[in-house]
Amino acid sequence: MLVASDQRPLAERVVGIVANFDVLTRTVPLSRALERIHGDGYDLVLLAGQEFGTLDGSLQALQALSELPELLVLTHGHGSEMEATALSYGVRGLLSLDLDDGELRAALEAVVERVHATRQALAQHEHERSVEPPDAFIVESPAMVALVARARRAANSMSTVLVMGETGVGKERVAQLVHDESPRSGGPFIALNCAAIPSELMESELFGHERGAFTGANRARRGFFELAHGGTLFLDEIGELPLSAQAKLLRVLQDRQLRPLGSDKLIDVDVRLIAATNQVLEAEVEAARFRSDLYYRLRVIELEIPPLRERSEDIARLLEAQLERFNGVLGRSLSGYSDVAMRALLAYRWPGNVRELINVVERAALLCEGPLVEPEDLPVSIAAGAASDSRAAQVNRGVGTPLGDSAPSWGVRLDRPWREVREALLREGERAYLVGLLQATGGRVGATATRAGLAERSLFEKMKRHGLRKEDFRRRGDPDPS
């Protein structure tokens, strides 16, 4: 345990109180706290000062650590604003200087016991994480390094987490990371996509129901909160939650109790909630589609995942890791990507983010006939975007090119019959056309159909055929695509 304070009598008081605890304690000035934590690896750090404001600089400096120990603050005054600020810094507990020695001893002893229990739980499950899972985070970019560090700090707290980011960036994987790094890692991790559940069934899915609670309820059923008891519940697309369910969710978060539909009994639940959204919830609050009290309850800790196009350093490693993964899944032995294919992939904007990247690599691994993934193994929308030389430009315009060195390097298989090549080009061209329109309209189906001169039903069929979803092209802050 490290006690950091610029007030020696205060530090000595804490050391005297914990003298009989099973813990090694050292004291340093606040200015040396970051240096000592970084170098010595403490399990518990207590920042002590008469005023919370005198500790703010030290709390900010600690955010540079990739792994933050159990963090406590001992000071005067405990307003709601101070508590919110402390939570944002990863503080696990605020202790008041108004406590007498006995009360402070009891509070510190409880914290020390919690730290011991956490260490034991982490040690118990360490062997389960000794081998990195195939979908583990790949982080090279500074933005993702900072995000993962913040997620790991958030894991040490029991506070609610709000994960934000575009569709396909990996919000569930961030939630899984928070769960896996937390003391709750031995409990269940239950995920629910709120956008996939009809509004009339949402409350039943979340809170459960008794037999006969509504038409079709032929048997009692536990809800997702009960299933996640002792662990973590991840609610994706929280912005799609109906207002009636929002009110009941807020009550459960406040009371840690729920009442299944059709029941007169309250059930205790011990669940940590992680929510995710690709919407701007502030705008939803202003539009009265999302409760402000629930929004503030959810955003105790915020984690925003940058889109793939803003972290180009990660793309190459993601491509390599996914190709290795599909080599194993599909029984292939591809050795990598050609230089031209890699340039095309790195130049692409990835509107569908990591989810789209995985689909593209799977497709390439299936189609590739040589040892390297070539541009012709990629969707035209990707290969065409990187075509900067005259040969690719000619193909884009439909101009024929002679065989040999001037043959196009993407999209056209010169060893195949014309009928097969034509069908492939038409298929890929149609997909590239739809992707371009959906990007331009932000995934709005009505606007896309108008531009294309198609009926919406016909457009939906084409999108389904090409594996395109309007949600993958939605930009943060845009209205719901329609």
Side-chain angles (χ1 to χ4, degrees):
M1 175 179 176
L2 182 70
V3 179
S5 179
D6 288 336
Q7 298 169 337
R8 188 176 183 84
L10 188 54
E12 290 178 347
R13 180 190 176 198
V14 174
V15 172
I17 287 175
V18 302
N20 295 326
F21 291 3
D22 183 17
V23 60
L24 177 63
T25 305
R26 289 193 175 95
T27 63
V28 295
L30 288 170
S31 59
R32 295 191 58 199
L34 180 61
E35 168 194 341
R36 293 302 299 269
I37 296 171
H38 184 74
D40 297 339
Y42 288 89
D43 299 311
L44 178 61
V45 175
L46 185 144
L47 302 181
Q50 293 292 334
E51 301 294 337
F52 183 78
T54 64
L55 308 176
D56 192 63
S58 298
L59 288 168
Q60 289 185 15
L62 292 176
Q63 303 310 297
L65 292 174
S66 60
E67 295 186 8
L68 197 63
E70 184 96 358
L71 190 58
L72 304 176
V73 165
L74 177 61
T75 187
H76 279 300
H78 283 184
S80 58
E81 183 176 351
M82 181 192 300
E83 292 176 356
T85 302
L87 282 171
S88 70
Y89 285 132
V91 174
R92 288 291 305 276
L94 281 171
L95 303 177
S96 174
L97 281 172
D98 298 328
L99 297 174
D100 61 33
D101 283 0
E103 293 170 327
L104 188 56
R105 180 180 292 107
L108 287 171
E109 190 171 17
V111 172
V112 170
E113 289 178 356
R114 187 171 71 222
V115 171
H116 282 313
T118 299
R119 284 296 181 189
Q120 291 172 357
L122 291 176
Q124 179 181 351
H125 298 288
E126 189 62 33
H127 68 281
E128 298 176 5
R129 296 195 292 270
S130 58
V131 178
E132 188 178 53
D135 61 343
F137 275 100
I138 291 176
V139 290
E140 288 281 344
S141 63
M144 283 302 289
V145 170
L147 173 77
V148 171
R150 185 172 174 85
R152 284 178 169 145
R153 291 197 298 271
N156 292 323
S157 165
M158 291 300 104
S159 301
T160 304
V161 177
L162 180 62
V163 185
M164 298 171 293
E166 295 178 1
T167 298
V169 293
K171 295 187 286 292
E172 182 170 348
R173 296 169 74 192
V174 169
Q176 183 77 60
L177 173 67
V178 172
H179 171 77
D180 290 344
E181 297 279 346
S182 77
R184 291 177 175 262
S185 59
F189 177 85
I190 305 294
L192 173 66
N193 186 337
C194 297
I197 305 298
S199 58
E200 62 270 20
L201 296 178
M202 182 60 70
E203 292 181 32
S204 171
E205 292 292 326
L206 284 175
F207 313 120
H209 64 257
E210 294 295 323
R211 181 180 179 182
F214 52 86
T215 302
N218 298 321
R219 59 184 178 85
R221 180 177 178 181
R222 292 195 300 163
F224 278 81
F225 262 97
E226 281 192 80
L227 295 174
H229 183 77
T232 301
L233 176 61
F234 173 63
L235 295 183
D236 198 7
E237 304 298 348
I238 189 74
E240 303 294 335
L241 201 64
L243 283 169
S244 59
Q246 291 178 30
K248 293 190 176 182
L249 173 60
L250 179 63
R251 177 59 61 89
V252 172
L253 293 177
Q254 291 172 339
D255 299 342
R256 301 294 176 182
Q257 291 182 320
L258 62 84
R259 190 191 306 274
L261 296 180
S263 174
D264 57 358
K265 295 181 180 180
L266 290 172
I267 298 174
D268 294 328
V269 286
D270 173 24
V271 173
R272 190 208 190 152
L273 181 68
I274 302 178
T277 183
N278 63 3
Q279 301 181 35
V280 180
L281 287 186
E282 295 95 325
E284 296 298 299
V285 170
E286 291 179 3
R289 290 189 293 267
F290 202 87
R291 293 178 62 103
S292 59
D293 46 5
L294 177 59
Y295 169 61
Y296 293 118
R297 182 81 186 194
L298 293 175
R299 57 168 292 190
V300 175
I301 299 175
E302 293 178 296
L303 300 173
E304 182 159 12
I305 309 173
L308 192 55
R309 62 182 174 274
E310 292 180 8
R311 46 187 175 103
S312 57
E313 301 94 329
D314 297 333
I315 296 176
R317 283 197 61 198
L318 280 166
L319 289 166
E320 293 165 359
Q322 290 301 325
L323 187 60
E324 181 179 352
R325 174 189 170 207
F326 284 115
N327 270 338
V329 171
L330 302 174
R332 303 300 306 273
S333 56
L334 304 175
S335 55
Y337 303 82
S338 71
D339 291 342
V340 178
M342 182 58 82
R343 285 198 299 270
L345 290 161
L346 293 177
Y348 186 56
R349 295 284 290 171
W350 299 107
N353 292 292
V354 178
R355 181 186 297 147
E356 182 185 16
L357 182 145
I358 293 172
N359 292 336
V360 166
V361 176
E362 181 180 13
R363 174 189 186 278
L366 284 167
L367 296 179
C368 185
E369 295 182 350
L372 295 174
V373 173
E374 298 289 349
E376 57 261 32
D377 303 316
L378 304 174
V380 171
S381 56
I382 296 179
S388 58
D389 56 43
S390 59
R391 292 174 297 165
Q394 285 178 322
V395 175
N396 253 338
R397 295 194 300 270
V399 178
T401 57
L403 297 178
D405 290 341
S406 61
S409 61
W410 65 272
V412 178
R413 300 295 296 266
L414 301 178
D415 58 339
R416 301 292 178 86
W418 161 242
R419 183 184 299 275
E420 186 176 335
V421 170
R422 181 183 62 181
E423 291 177 356
L425 285 175
L426 287 173
R427 182 173 59 254
E428 295 291 354
E430 182 179 69
R431 189 181 193 281
Y433 175 74
L434 294 175
V435 167
L437 283 184
L438 288 165
Q439 288 174 339
T441 63
R444 296 194 299 276
V445 172
T448 303
T450 299
R451 290 197 188 189
L454 295 169
E456 289 190 17
R457 180 176 179 179
S458 177
L459 175 62
F460 267 121
E461 291 175 352
K462 292 180 183 296
M463 289 170 61
K464 184 177 180 180
R465 184 163 61 245
H466 292 290
L468 301 175
R469 305 187 318 154
K470 62 181 181 179
E471 293 83 3
D472 292 338
F473 299 89
R474 186 177 181 183
R475 297 180 290 260
R476 292 195 65 201
D478 281 356
D480 184 39
S482 59

